[in-house]
Amino acid sequence: MTIQEPSHVHAVVSVVDVEAAVAWYTTFFGRSADRHLPDLAEWQLTTDATLQLVLDPYGAGSSTVALEVDGIDRVLAELERHDIIPETIIEGTATITDPTGNRIRIAAHHP
């Protein structure tokens, strides 16, 4: 059996302090988590995709998440207003590092 069309995708980001990470990601996404437990927080990003923060001190800082967005310039300007500044922008892809050291790559959506 092979996985050809998963019905749902969870991006998992490992952190050492869930509450501190929730505060940062709440600013990043501009809204509170859709689900918040002591060791996990989750944002429903699309019908079929979520981003989960999980307490994992051993894996913290090693996660990478890639997001495609419409209006990347507008998104980056909004993040900058909240002091979330990309470390690099190369060929239309911005890389941001969260306080734990996890990387978020934001790229323009091309239909």
Side-chain angles (χ1 to χ4, degrees):
M1 177 179 177
T2 61
I3 298 175
Q4 295 179 4
E5 292 185 33
S7 61
H8 200 92
V9 176
H10 298 280
V12 178
V13 176
S14 300
V15 298
V16 286
D17 183 336
V18 172
E19 293 309 313
V22 165
W24 191 87
Y25 279 86
T26 295
T27 300
F28 180 81
F29 286 121
R31 63 184 180 87
S32 299
D34 297 300
R35 185 167 67 137
H36 191 172
L37 305 170
D39 294 344
L40 178 140
E42 180 177 273
W43 282 262
Q44 187 78 40
L45 302 179
T46 69
T47 304
D48 301 322
T50 59
L51 182 132
Q52 295 179 334
L53 301 178
V54 296
L55 179 63
D56 176 8
Y58 300 105
S62 63
S63 303
T64 300
V65 175
L67 304 172
E68 286 188 8
V69 298
D70 292 321
I72 189 168
D73 292 335
R74 178 188 46 79
V75 169
L76 294 177
E78 183 63 26
L79 289 171
E80 187 173 333
R81 280 194 281 283
H82 295 284
D83 296 321
I84 299 175
I85 312 296
E87 285 81 38
T88 60
I89 300 175
I90 299 171
E91 296 181 18
T93 300
T95 301
I96 294 170
T97 302
D98 75 8
T100 303
N102 298 300
R103 285 173 303 286
I104 305 164
R105 293 205 172 102
I106 302 173
H109 175 69
H110 297 288

